[in-house]
DNA sequence: GGGCGTCTCCCCCGCCCGGGGGAGGCCCGC
DNA sequence: GCGGGCCTCCCCCGGGCGGGGGAGACGCCC
C-alpha cells in the first residue's frame, strides 16, 4: 500500500509542486492539502495520513504549533516533515524540538524530497536526516552548531549522556569511560543504555555512526 | 626526552623552515639534515632519529625509494613523515604504500606540522592522519578517492574485508553481514577480526571510528 | 610442482555488552 | 511537601563479540 501524505502550506504553488513531485511516485499518494496549521488536526483525524509535510511559517498557526498540536491530540500521530525555505531557519529547530521527524528544504531536488518522505514513512529515524547533518557541518564546530544542538535536544540527551556518547565516539569501552568520568561501571552502563534508547541504536557502534551522521561529532 | 627529527629535503629553504618550526618546540629536536634520499640510510643509522621528515621529490633518490630503503634495511626504523607541496600528489600515496606513517603539506600551519611530528613519534597511528581524511573528503566519493584507496592499501585490507568494514559502518551485526554477503557467520567473524587487526582497532566500534576519521566512509 | 594469499568454515572460550528491573540521593518546580 | 528528572549504583541474565587455533579449496605466481 502506498505512503499517504498530507500537504500543509499556505502557498498553493508550493503545494502543487510537492504534489507533482510526490504523485510522480507510484508508492506515494497525496491524500489531502491544507493552507494553514489550524486546519491540520481534523484533516489528520479524517485522512489518517502516514506523513504530514508541514510548512513552518503560516499565517494562523505555524508549523511548530501545528506539530505540537497534532502530536498532543491525535492518537497514533503521523510522521511530520517540516518544510522550510531557508537553511538556517531557527524555526525549523523549534519544530524538531516540538517533535517533527525531519525537515525538508523547498529547493531540494525532487529525489531528495521523495526520499525524505519514504524514510520517515518507514519510521527510519529521520531524527538525523542528511540535511541536518549537512547543516551541522556547515555551521559547525560540530558541537555547538544550532543544528547539532537541535539534534541533541530532540534526542533529549542529558548532559551526562552526551558526555558519555562523546567518549563512545572516541572508541572507549564502558570501563574506560567509567575511569575517565570517575564513576562506577554500572553507572556508565545506565547512561549508555539511555543513549542507545534515545538514538534508536541497537548497540554502541550504531550510536557512534549516528553521532557522525548527525554532525554530533565531526571527523578530524 | 625530546623527539629527535631528521630532515630530508633537497631545498635548503624548506629544511630551514622545518627546522625553525620544529626547534621552536622544546620537546622536539632536529638532529640532522640531508639533501637527498640517498644520504638517508647512514644518517638514520648514526643519528637514530625518532622521526624522519622526508621530501617526496628529490634528485637522486626520491622519498618513496628512501622510505622503502630505510624500512627494509634499518633495524627499529624511525617513523617517517612524507613531506609534499601538492595536495594531490600521487607520489604521496606511493610513499604511504611504501610504509610511511603519515604525510605533511609544506604549506600546513606550523602547529599542524608540529602536531604531526609529535603524533607519529608517539606511534599514534598517523596511518590515518586528518590531512589524508580531508584529502579523501575533497576528492571523495569517499570510496574511490585516491587517498581512501591509499589508506586501504596501506592497511592492506582485502576486497572482502573492505566490504565487511563498509557494512560495519552501516551498523550491521556479524549475523546481518553474513546474511547480506550470503556466507557463514564464522566467515564474517574471520573477516572482522582481520579488519580489527589491520586497523589496530580493539572492537568494531573503533574500526568504524577509524573508517570515518580516515575518510574510508564519509558522513551523509 | 610448490608456495602464498584469499575466502570459506569449524572448534573452544572468556568477556564485555546490553536488557530488565530496582533503588537511593539530589535538586528543581509545582 | 511532593513529584519528577537526573545521576548514581546494584542485581541477574543471555547473547553477541572477539581471540586463538585449525583446516580445506581455489587461484596466482615463481
Amino acid at each position: 500500500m502506498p505512503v499517504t501524505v498530507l500537504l500543509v502550506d499556505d502557498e498553493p504553488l508550493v503545494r502543487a509542486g510537492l504534489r507533482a513531485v510526490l504523485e510522480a511516485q507510484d508508492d506515494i499518494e497525496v491524500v489531502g492539502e491544507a493552507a494553514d496549521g489550524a486546519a491540520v488536526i481534523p484533516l489528520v483525524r479524517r485522512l489518517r495520513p502516514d506523513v504530514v509535510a508541514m510548512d513552518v511559517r503560516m499565517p494562523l498557526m505555524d508549523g511548530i504549533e501545528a506539530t505540537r498540536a497534532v502530536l498532543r491530540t491525535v492518537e497514533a500521530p503521523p510522521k511530520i516533515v517540516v518544510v522550510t525555505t531557508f537553511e538556517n531557519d531557527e524555526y525549523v529547530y523549534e519544530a524538531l524540538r516540538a517533535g517533527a521527524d525531519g525537515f525538508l528544504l523547498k529547493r531540494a531536488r525532487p529525489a531528495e524530497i521523495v526520499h525524505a518522505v519514504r524514510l520517515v514513512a518507514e519510521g527510519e529515524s529521520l531524527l538525523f536526516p542528511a540535511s541536518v547533518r549537512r547543516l551541522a557541518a556547515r555551521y559547525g564546530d560540530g558541537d555547538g552548531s544550532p543544528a547539532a544542538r537541535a539534534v541533541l535536544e530532540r534526542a533529549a540527551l542529558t548532559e551526562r549522556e552526551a558526555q558519555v556518547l562523546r567518549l563512545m565516539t572516541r572508541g572507549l569501552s564502558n570501563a574506560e569511560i567509567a575511569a575517565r568520568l570517575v564513576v562506577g561501571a554500572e553507572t556508565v552502563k545506565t547512561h549508555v543504555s539511555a543513549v542507545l534508547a534515545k538514538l534508536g541504536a541497537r548497540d554502541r557502534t550504531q550510536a557512534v555512526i549516528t553521532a557522525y551522521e548527525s554532525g554530533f561529532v565531526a571527523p578530524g
Side-chain angles (χ1 to χ4, degrees), chain A:
Chain A
M1 57 196 174
V3 175
T4 54
V5 182
L6 171 65
L7 306 179
V8 187
D9 197 307
D10 58 326
E11 297 176 41
L13 183 66
V14 173
R15 294 202 304 271
L18 284 173
R19 180 181 279 271
V21 166
L22 295 175
E23 293 276 26
Q25 310 299 316
D26 45 2
D27 62 331
I28 300 181
E29 187 185 347
V30 176
V31 293
E33 298 185 9
D36 196 89
V40 168
I41 299 271
L43 273 175
V44 167
R45 285 229 168 90
R46 182 151 58 83
L47 304 171
R48 305 218 58 80
D50 299 315
V51 178
V52 177
M54 177 98 71
D55 193 11
V56 191
R57 300 168 188 271
M58 290 177 291
L60 296 178
M61 183 189 282
D62 65 29
I64 302 163
E65 269 313 308
T67 297
R68 279 204 199 93
V70 168
L71 295 181
R72 199 175 49 230
T73 66
V74 176
E75 205 161 341
K79 305 293 180 180
I80 297 181
V81 179
V82 179
V83 180
T84 181
T85 307
F86 307 107
E87 287 189 348
N88 194 19
D89 192 336
E90 283 291 336
Y91 269 52
V92 171
Y93 308 125
E94 286 295 333
L96 290 177
R97 251 169 252 148
D101 299 278
F103 73 81
L104 202 53
L105 288 177
K106 285 184 184 175
R107 66 165 164 283
R109 295 191 313 266
E112 283 190 72
I113 294 176
V114 169
H115 183 61
V117 168
R118 283 211 191 95
L119 275 188
V120 293
E122 290 168 12
E124 277 284 350
S125 169
L126 235 176
L127 245 174
F128 305 94
S131 47
V132 170
R133 191 199 56 72
R134 281 199 297 270
L135 262 185
R138 184 159 5 219
Y139 290 98
D141 37 7
D143 201 300
S145 75
R149 254 186 290 121
V151 164
L152 255 184
E153 291 178 29
R154 176 74 179 78
L157 289 189
T158 68
E159 187 120 357
R160 203 55 159 169
E161 288 159 357
Q163 208 170 1
V164 168
L165 176 56
R166 232 168 266 127
L167 293 174
M168 287 164 68
T169 65
R170 304 205 44 189
L172 274 62
S173 67
N174 287 345
E176 288 166 344
I177 294 174
R180 189 73 71 90
L181 298 182
V182 199
V183 297
E186 305 81 7
T187 303
V188 174
K189 282 188 59 178
T190 304
H191 291 316
V192 170
S193 291
V195 169
L196 298 187
K198 288 181 178 177
L199 295 188
R202 187 179 51 197
D203 50 49
R204 66 201 299 111
T205 304
Q206 288 190 352
V208 167
I209 293 170
T210 297
Y212 272 102
E213 297 294 334
S214 71
F216 177 74
V217 288

